Amino acid sequence: MQSKPILTVTETTRIIEAARAEAERNQWLVAIAVVDDGGHPLGVLRLDGCAPIGAYIATEKARTAALGRRETKQYEDMINGGRTAFLSAPLAGTLEGGIPVIVDGQVVGAVGVSGVKPDQDAQIARAGVQSV
C-alpha cells in the first residue's frame, strides 16, 4: 500500500495566510481556496471587497488544479491555442490561477485564487503553495 502526505488544518491555514499576505501586500481583493487532492474544499477566504463569485471561481480553479494535477493555466493555454473541444471536459476552473500543492512528488491538494488579473491570481496562489 502506498502512503502520501495530506494537507491538514495547519497547512491549510498556512497556505491561506501566505496567500492572503501576498494579496494584501499588493492591495488585491481576492478569494482564496484550498482543496485536497480530490478537489474537496478545505478552506476558503474571501477578502473584504471581493465579489461573491470570486469564492466560487477560486474553488473551481483549485479543484481543477488538484484533479488535473497541473496548473490551470495549462488548460487555458490549450483552449486558447485552438483545442476548443477541451471546453466539454467536466472542469469548471480552466482559467489561470489554480496551482497544485506538490509534496514529495505527490499532488496533495491545490490553491485557487480569483479576483484580479490571471497572472496576479497565480502569483497569490503560488505564494500560498510555497508556504508548505
Side-chain angles (χ1 to χ4, degrees), residues 38-104:
H40 306 286
L42 297 174
V44 177
L45 174 68
R46 181 167 56 98
L47 297 179
D48 295 342
C50 177
I53 195 162
Y56 174 80
I57 295 171
T59 302
E60 290 303 317
K61 287 180 181 184
R63 180 175 289 122
T64 297
L67 294 174
R69 309 295 199 241
R70 65 182 72 180
E71 291 190 24
T72 54
K73 182 180 186 328
Q74 293 179 8
Y75 293 114
E76 184 175 6
D77 289 346
M78 279 191 287
I79 294 164
N80 289 341
R83 193 168 176 205
T84 56
F86 203 81
L87 290 169
S88 64
L91 300 169
T94 54
L95 303 169
E96 184 174 2
I99 310 286
V101 178
I102 301 171
V103 176
D104 298 332

Side-chain angles (χ1 to χ4, degrees), residues 101-118:
V101 178
I102 301 171
V103 176
D104 298 332
Q106 298 284 330
V107 173
V108 297
V111 181
V113 176
S114 181
V116 287
K117 294 178 182 176

